[in-house]
Amino acid sequence: MAASGDAAQTEAPQASGAAPAAIDPIRFEAAVFDLDGVLTGTAEIHAEAWKRLFDDFLAKQAAASGKPLQPFDPKRDYLAYVDGRPRSDGVRTFLAARGITVPEGEAGDPPDAVTVRSLGARKDAYFLERLAKSGVKVFADAQPLLANLRAAGLKTALVSSSRNAKAVLEAGGLTALLDVVVDGVEAARLGLKGKPAPDTFQRALQQLGVQAARAVGFEDALVGVEAIRAAGYGLVVGVDRVGQSHELVAHGADVAVSDLTTLQVVAAEPASAPHLAAWPPVAPTEDAAWLVVEDGFTLAREHEIESVFAVGNGHLGSRASLAEGGPMSSPATFVAGLFDTRPGPTPSLAPLPDWSHLAPIVEGAPLKLGSGKLLSQRRTLDMRQGLVWRDWRHEDPGGRVTRFQECRLASLYDRRLLLQSAALTAENYTGAVGFETRLDASVEIRTSGGGLAAVSAAALVGGTPDLPAHAAPIGELTLQAQTGRTHRIDRFVAVGASSQDASPRAVADAHVAAAQGQGMSELIARHRDAWAARWEASDIRVDGDPAAQRALRFAAYHLISAADPTDARVSIGARAMTGGAYSGHVFWDTEIYMLPFFALTWPEAARALLMYRHHTLPAARKKALSHGARGAFYAWESADTGDDVTPASVIGPGGVVIQIRLAQQEQHISADVAFGAWSYWRATGDDVFLLEAGAEIIIETARFWASRAEPGDDGRLHIRGVVGPDEYHEHVDDDAYTNGMARWNLRTAVAVVQEMATRWPESWAGLRAQLKLGDAELDEWADAARDLYFSIDPRSGLIEQFQGYFALKDLPLTSLVSRSVPVDVLLGLDRVMRTPIIKQPDVLMLIYLLWDEFTPQVREANFHYYEARCAQGSSLSPCIHALFAARLGRMDMAQRYFRQASGIDLSDNRGDAAGGVHAAALGGLWQAAVFGFAGLTLDDDGPQLDPKLPPGWRELSFRIRWRGKDYALTAQAPTAPVREISP
Ligand code: IFM
């Protein structure tokens, strides 16, 4: 549908309710859609949320005034007063119809205040709650129409009053099919009035660069139809899903249709054949501070490289395996939340087919690193643009020199998309060259838990820029290469998954079709813009230490790649989706090590991670019950359902079977999750989160501790038979970290309850009834917090890590010959258990998290004592020692630990990253820089820095968002005092 030449026409739709409109085929350039009732069927959810809000409100009004008030009618009142309107307008309009006016209210109003603003916010919370439960229904005719319009060359846009439009589009798999979105957030930002005013529809056209007469608008709401009419669109299509065709036409629709497939899109003229421009599709980043580079080829390092250079977007994660494969290749691509129990007893992230396999074939023989001669190879992780490059020149045994260049990414703009662009150049010969792929068209993967992933692939192949590209099925594709000619191939792969999409196959097909229409350069530009927006919020700059700069960007790169703010049903595994170690399982790593980065730079992602814990509360309750306790005992290792999926045993060195009791004993996880929920709320002031999920998590975990602690003869409560973060000592009593965090959890629950009861009495009453909390139980928490065993030696300031720890026979770490082999392997776990050698900080971790609860003397004494006994047996350890040492001003030591932490994935001699990057260590590295070196503290007055930069660092700068405000922070090394040098 375009004005001139190169697009398509709509045929007059079959009118229903209006006279069959005598509309000549009109050429259009853009189609603009409303969301609810047109593309998605969330109208019922909206109507239900409005009803819940208004009926509750009206009942109270009626009780107060003694006058009966008609409840909200989800059909009549919905269509007449709220449908299509911005949320506040809906509140005002409906209440006005019942003769009620309430104050407008302002930001920061308590959620249960009676104002337009807070009533609107409550309606939104009800909507999101229900949406999370039922998912998004996409009308069957929506995707085909959008895909057809785009294939015919039309631009597409969405105009919605909803502030959640982007989340709904994403959940419905429609994001990639729309060029522009004008939602409630954008309208508020620009001060637009919204429907029935024409301004939001005008804004969409302005962004698309299309005149109103060349646009067709689709609306189901009467106010929306009026708005499109007033905006002067060439065609107004009323979409009638509820039998109101006549009203739609009466309000200004040219036609009303009940089925969008009755609209036919006809190509006006064949589109001219696309050209693939010369390779590369975008310019690589040149600034070395944004790059991780690997030159040459070292077979033994290959698994690490695959992890370190992995690409991801929180929904999909893909290892950077060699495109042509090889003996050491271990390709894997995962979808967040899609687990499979085959082949093992515990679920693992299900691997997708190897989409990136693209083997160059020269004169019928595959080009391989292992045969012939490697002339040069460079692989580059381009962190700024979120993609990975490869440039490989190879001489085959026949003396032919071929250059293979490639880039790959997992789109941050459209999370269902994986892209690959490659170029093959015959440098010194003419002959047959080709590509072979493993994934050529469509495949489906079914997981044991009933999950389904559908993968669709398409390719465009071109010769030199002067030859047109053509869509190519390339199971094995052969081309005639001439000396110096470069053949380029662009591959578009989309994944629909039942974890997110109602129809994975349709979603994958639509995304691939849309991607092909947009072309590689445009798609990469959008992906790069999405990364630029993330870096704007999350970049961290170091002046004076290039290696530290790279390591911190590497940490942020993998953390950003791991999170998906649109999916509240998944969390980040210990190795994110960069490798198979720990099977994609989620540990305390997420809340304690990674979450601070997200809470302060990407709160939407932090919220989604915590909502995963809220969704898995039922499993945590079940686990508590099975341990004879109450409340919520979270899984030590958690997958899709939240059931504990910690393996019962592993095979250790020498084939010995080692029983794992962490699921039963590593109980601090419950307090860690509560700590994450509370920290997020504190950082964002997101009261809706607290009321909707956070308070329930904090209360249920406190309940667990209160029921778990056992009274002892000493009149104190004890938590016996646990494992603390130091996993070298099992089945200990009163682990300091566990007891300290449990005590914090109990006290925090008491505080949260008090705050809720004061600020949001109604919500509190509801939650209290839901959780069946009696007064006695509430009193019990404060008592339990007071009585829980925790002791600090008044003389030395030392905290004993667990009962009996100080009696263990000391074995100085310095006496151990090899520090490169883990101590538990060197000595055997049984022996280590009889020494005070620890794997990772336990007491120190507690002091770090609850810093203000301990005196400087206690911090110093315990650091001095436990640092000397820590074997750094976990990747989670050095970052916390770096942070702690920095806070205590021991800068050489802090720098040494910081370097050790930086090298966990990046140093080239450890091989640690083979099973995936260490996501917790990456989050910890960021914390070491921000809370250690910059000395960031946060309170009601905002952020404060107390810089202690390591030797050589001149400046450290970063941004954070604290309670809705953005801050740019810079920590500087003190300049030398000015000295007078004149005589
Ligand atoms: O959660 C950690 C644990 O603290 C130490 N072992 C590895 C786990 C996953 O990273």
Side-chain angles (χ1 to χ4, degrees), residues 945-966:
L945 297 185
D946 178 12
K948 294 197 184 72
L949 299 188
W953 291 34
R954 287 184 288 272
E955 198 173 275
L956 170 66
S957 49
F958 53 95
R959 283 173 175 246
I960 59 159
R961 173 170 290 191
W962 174 249
R963 302 197 178 154
K965 285 196 189 145
D966 292 324

Side-chain angles (χ1 to χ4, degrees), residues 574 582 587-589 636 727 839-840 874 876:
Y582 292 116
F587 295 71
W588 72 314
D589 304 31
W636 173 242
E727 294 171 340
K839 179 178 184 181
Q840 64 198 83
S874 158
L876 282 68

Side-chain angles (χ1 to χ4, degrees), residues 29-175:
E29 291 176 47
V32 180
F33 293 83
D34 170 45
L35 183 61
D36 293 323
V38 174
L39 300 178
T40 57
T42 41
E44 271 171 30
I45 307 184
H46 277 292
E48 198 183 297
W50 281 119
K51 185 160 174 55
R52 186 171 162 196
L53 176 85
F54 285 139
D55 285 0
D56 178 47
F57 174 79
L58 293 172
K60 286 191 190 118
Q61 286 284 116
S65 67
K67 279 193 239 136
L69 283 165
Q70 275 288 84
F72 180 83
D73 182 320
K75 264 204 151 175
R76 207 166 13 85
D77 289 331
Y78 180 76
L79 294 175
Y81 305 120
V82 293
D83 185 20
R85 292 178 190 273
R87 207 185 297 148
S88 317
D89 200 21
V91 173
R92 264 183 237 110
T93 313
F94 171 74
L95 292 183
R98 293 284 194 279
I100 302 168
T101 324
V102 296
E104 283 299 304
E106 54 192 30
D109 276 351
D112 57 354
V114 180
T115 62
V116 169
R117 202 180 178 109
S118 52
L119 286 170
R122 218 177 320 154
K123 183 261 163 180
D124 190 41
Y126 294 157
F127 171 77
L128 289 173
E129 185 182 307
R130 178 67 162 66
L131 187 71
K133 278 192 200 130
S134 55
V136 171
K137 173 176 131 200
V138 178
F139 288 119
D141 50 5
Q143 269 167 347
L145 178 67
L146 278 165
N148 286 344
L149 289 170
R150 296 173 66 87
L154 269 83
K155 295 176 181 170
T156 51
L158 182 101
V159 171
S160 167
S161 307
S162 169
R163 286 173 171 268
N164 300 311
K166 286 190 178 155
V168 173
L169 287 173
E170 189 69 28
L174 296 171
T175 307

Side-chain angles (χ1 to χ4, degrees), residues 98-418:
R98 293 284 194 279
I100 302 168
T101 324
V102 296
E104 283 299 304
E106 54 192 30
D109 276 351
D112 57 354
V114 180
T115 62
V116 169
R117 202 180 178 109
S118 52
L119 286 170
R122 218 177 320 154
K123 183 261 163 180
D124 190 41
Y126 294 157
F127 171 77
L128 289 173
E129 185 182 307
R130 178 67 162 66
L131 187 71
K133 278 192 200 130
S134 55
V136 171
K137 173 176 131 200
V138 178
F139 288 119
D141 50 5
Q143 269 167 347
L145 178 67
L146 278 165
N148 286 344
L149 289 170
R150 296 173 66 87
L154 269 83
K155 295 176 181 170
T156 51
L158 182 101
V159 171
S160 167
S161 307
S162 169
R163 286 173 171 268
N164 300 311
K166 286 190 178 155
V168 173
L169 287 173
E170 189 69 28
L174 296 171
T175 307
L177 297 171
L178 293 154
D179 297 299
V180 159
V181 173
V182 179
D183 60 2
V185 177
E186 167 95 335
R189 188 176 69 80
L190 299 172
L192 303 178
K193 289 201 206 73
K195 308 165 196 181
D199 50 8
T200 46
F201 282 98
Q202 288 162 337
R203 166 77 184 160
L205 295 185
Q206 192 192 11
Q207 284 188 276
L208 292 171
V210 171
Q211 291 175 357
R214 298 293 179 197
V216 53
F218 295 81
E219 253 294 354
D220 72 313
L222 304 180
V223 284
V225 164
E226 286 170 21
I228 301 178
R229 179 88 288 153
Y233 278 39
L235 183 69
V236 185
V237 179
V239 181
D240 177 14
R241 309 266 190 205
V242 290
Q244 58 165 354
S245 296
H246 289 289
E247 288 90 331
L248 288 167
V249 173
H251 280 255
D254 292 308
V255 287
V257 295
S258 54
D259 179 354
L260 296 179
T261 54
T262 55
L263 296 164
Q264 290 183 28
V265 182
V266 182
E269 285 166 30
S272 58
H275 281 76
L276 288 186
W279 210 83
V282 290
T285 298
E286 283 178 2
D287 179 350
W290 287 97
L291 307 177
V292 179
V293 176
E294 175 76 6
D295 281 322
F297 181 71
T298 310
L299 191 63
R301 263 177 66 67
E302 202 47 25
H303 286 170
E304 280 171 64
I305 301 298
E306 292 177 324
S307 308
V308 167
F309 287 63
V311 293
N313 59 24
H315 180 53
L316 303 171
S318 187
R319 284 165 69 77
S321 305
L322 293 172
E324 73 281 12
M328 277 303 277
S329 258
S330 179
T333 298
F334 304 109
V335 186
L338 212 67
F339 286 87
D340 199 344
T341 51
R342 291 163 298 196
T346 55
S348 302
L349 278 173
L352 296 185
D354 183 11
W355 70 279
S356 59
H357 181 85
L358 185 68
I361 316 281
V362 176
E363 295 287 14
L367 198 66
K368 283 189 192 147
L369 280 165
S371 87
K373 187 166 155 207
L374 172 66
L375 299 179
S376 64
Q377 172 164 255
R378 167 163 286 202
R379 283 175 283 179
T380 308
L381 181 65
D382 181 340
M383 299 186 282
R384 188 164 70 86
Q385 304 196 89
L387 42 83
V388 62
W389 300 95
R390 181 178 178 202
D391 190 351
W392 168 36
R393 288 182 65 245
H394 201 84
E395 185 179 318
D396 65 24
R400 287 171 292 252
V401 175
T402 304
R403 182 175 188 188
F404 179 77
Q405 293 156 284
E406 188 207 354
C407 74
R408 256 183 236 182
L409 60 96
S411 173
L412 199 62
Y413 163 75
D414 174 357
R415 288 196 163 81
R416 284 167 180 76
L417 219 52
L418 297 159

